[in-house]
Amino acid sequence: MHLAYPAVLAVLLFCVGLYGVLARRNAILVLMSVELMLNAVNLNLVAFDVWLRDALHAGQALTLFTIAIAAAEIGIGLAIVLAVYRNRGTSAVDDLRDTAERPDDPDDPDDGAEGAAADEPAPAEPSQKAEATA
């Protein structure tokens, strides 16, 4: 078998995955596209391992590591997507920009009252004032 066949298939898979990462808005579809790209890399690793007739089968061993990393990536990625979906009600990637926390702004009128109260010491109770003066 020629090396060109799996190489062309790997290029097509990688291009489809790249298109999916760049064009999709759903986080789960983006994760699936990343998996397509990793599978294209795995196909190339195995194809070149067979073509070079490596005695150690380093390409196949590296492919097993890539599969393990991809499984961990999908597990963590799906957990994050599920947590975001529960909090936001959507898994759209464009809406994830709004989840970033903004630093506290001292000029913000909503935070101004809380921020000033937290910085000032609490006033003493009247009974403690009377005991302190007596």
Side-chain angles (χ1 to χ4, degrees):
M1 178 169 75
H2 296 287
L3 183 62
Y5 298 131
V8 168
L9 180 61
V11 166
L12 291 175
L13 276 176
F14 194 85
C15 288
V16 169
L18 186 64
Y19 173 75
V21 167
L22 296 176
R24 297 294 178 184
R25 298 191 191 282
N26 190 347
I28 294 176
L29 291 178
V30 170
L31 288 174
M32 289 174 59
S33 299
V34 169
E35 285 296 317
L36 273 177
M37 292 168 62
L38 287 173
N39 285 332
V41 170
N42 288 340
L43 183 61
N44 268 336
L45 285 171
V46 171
F48 277 98
D49 183 51
V50 169
W51 184 64
L52 294 173
R53 293 187 175 96
D54 186 17
L56 296 175
H57 298 292
Q60 294 177 18
L62 191 57
T63 298
L64 289 176
F65 284 117
T66 308
I67 291 171
I69 289 171
E73 174 253 335
I74 282 296
I76 293 171
L78 285 177
I80 291 171
V81 168
L82 185 62
V84 168
Y85 182 77
R86 285 183 180 174
N87 287 336
R88 292 283 181 164
T90 182
S91 62
V93 178
D94 293 339
D95 296 339
L96 295 180
R97 275 180 261 183
D98 300 335
T99 61
E101 294 182 18
R102 288 179 272 160
D104 292 334
D105 188 11
D107 298 331
D108 191 12
D110 296 334
D111 280 346
E114 295 173 2
D119 293 340
E120 296 176 2
E125 294 181 15
S127 62
Q128 291 176 350
K129 286 183 182 178
E131 290 175 6
T133 56

